[in-house]
Amino acid sequence: MLIEENKLLAPFTTFGIGGPARWFVKAAYEQEIVEAVSWAGERGVALFVLGGGSNLLVSDAGFDGLVLHVRLRGILATNTLDESGQTEQRIYRVAAGEDWDRFVERSVLENCAGIECLAGIPGTVGGTPVQNVGAYGQEVASAIQRVRAFDLQERVFVEFSVAECEFAYRRSRFNTTDRRRYIVTRVDYRLLPGGAPTLRYADLQRAVAESVAGRRPTLAEVAAAVRRVRQAKGMLLVDGDADCRSAGSFFKNPVVSAEQMRQIAASSGKEPPRFPAGTGAENVGLVKLPAAWLIEQSGFAKGYALGDAGVSSRHTLALVNRGGATAAEVMALAARIGDAVEARFGLRLEMEPVLVGF
Ligand SMILES: Cc1cc2nc3c(=O)[nH]c(=O)nc-3n(C[C@H](O)[C@H](O)[C@H](O)COP(=O)(O)OP(=O)(O)OC[C@H]3O[C@@H](n4cnc5c(N)ncnc54)[C@H](O)[C@@H]3O)c2cc1C
């Protein structure tokens, strides 16, 4: 185990922002995680778990503790029958440090349905259960079978069924009740060989229709269409594309009641766009409101800039590093946007990226 000192974190984040980690270690095996945790515990040093750095804003001062970079690799795939004994399923046991998008690509090539709409999302597989990654009508909650993790409190490895992960919109036990308690080491995905692609969102349906002319699209065609739609919004990491120096969506889409929706419509004089809040019983009577629309209605256009921080020129929901932005500049822009939306609509936007070292 090699512990490095004063390692700059900016290059490990998609924002390209952040000061140094006081200590930094890579873990390629579960045993190295155990050793790194003991090392930090013995010295009373704070620990931060780093995946692909695609959902982080690291402070300019960095992190005064040990950053543990999860690098566990390996994918084991097996075919089995589901509980009913009727339907074939393919289980992928994926180590936490595997690249998420590469795993999606493999599942699509192997014609297994369940995560095709999540193509093009950066980060690691271990990061996906943390905020229940979702896009274009799919969430990892509906494809995860099991999560294996190291419990920092009890110092043992544990496994959670999907129900035990307590998934909801951009939430799980790993970013709420048990925040920073577990290090995910493996995620088991249960996918459907030969299954039909999910096509719920209108802009995705349009993008797919352009290329398949009336016939049922393949999983690969849907995944390719997702990547095209993402790229058009600057939500795909493409070398040299300034709009993707971000952490993706900076704010969560607020979930509101029908009454709140009526008030927002009345105060804006417009009918706001909306999406279903989700299929669970807890979402009955609720709708999801695009934060991008609220931000635009509050006076922020694409390309708005505050110093070197800005709103993406292709998607109002992403804040970007225009080159040389500090974390303080991004936070100042986020506060300006959050205050304006609150003053206009009485809604406090919640930030999506995880703050490190603030
Ligand atoms: C261009 C772009 C587009 C994006 N689009 C989407 C999208 O459509 N939908 C969406 O949901 N997200 C999206 N994101 C956000 C991000 O890609 C996901 O949240 C991703 O899953 C984060 O994974 P990561 O490995 O990069 O985690 P990191 O950013 O490294 O960490 C994020 C959080 O997860 C924790 N974490 C990471 N790995 C582990 C682990 N192994 N064990 C325990 N905790 C861990 C960290 O401690 C931190 O709290 C986007 C980001 C970008 C830059």
Side-chain angles (χ1 to χ4, degrees), residues 17-18 57-61 306 309 324-335 358:
I17 293 176
L57 181 59
V58 179
S59 78
D60 300 312
L306 184 65
T326 61
E329 281 177 311
V330 174
M331 289 299 275
L333 176 58
F358 282 89

Side-chain angles (χ1 to χ4, degrees), residues 78 80 83 89-94 100 103-104 107 112-119 125 128-129 132-135 137-147 160-163 165 167-168 186-193 196 198 200 219 279:
T78 45
T80 61
E83 296 77 12
Q89 56 186 13
R90 191 160 166 82
I91 309 292
Y92 291 89
R93 296 185 135 196
V94 192
W100 169 253
F103 168 52
V104 173
S107 72
C112 289
I115 52 175
E116 62 282 355
C117 295
L118 305 178
V125 168
T128 56
N132 181 19
V133 159
Q138 279 182 339
E139 286 182 336
V140 292
S142 52
I144 285 178
Q145 182 194 44
R146 194 172 302 284
V147 172
F160 297 103
S161 68
V162 66
C165 292
F167 288 125
R186 194 190 80 215
V187 187
D188 296 352
Y189 275 89
R190 184 199 336 231
L191 305 182
L192 196 60
T198 298
R200 278 197 207 116
L219 295 171
T279 47

Side-chain angles (χ1 to χ4, degrees), residues 180-239:
R180 297 200 172 180
R181 174 167 174 182
Y182 295 103
I183 303 178
V184 174
T185 59
R186 194 190 80 215
V187 187
D188 296 352
Y189 275 89
R190 184 199 336 231
L191 305 182
L192 196 60
T198 298
L199 269 179
R200 278 197 207 116
Y201 272 44
D203 45 354
L204 181 57
Q205 286 166 352
R206 272 192 301 274
V208 169
E210 281 163 17
S211 58
V212 302
R215 67 177 165 78
R216 181 178 121 169
T218 63
L219 295 171
E221 284 165 339
V222 170
V226 167
R227 287 200 174 84
R228 285 199 301 278
V229 174
R230 283 189 159 278
Q231 188 165 0
K233 293 182 179 169
M235 285 291 196
L236 188 74
L237 295 190
V238 176
D239 276 348

Side-chain angles (χ1 to χ4, degrees), residues 48-49 51-56 122-124 131 133-134 182 184 230 246 248 354:
F48 180 77
V49 181
S54 63
N55 208 26
L56 302 181
T124 59
Q131 72 155 2
V133 159
Y182 295 103
V184 174
R230 283 189 159 278
S246 76
V354 173

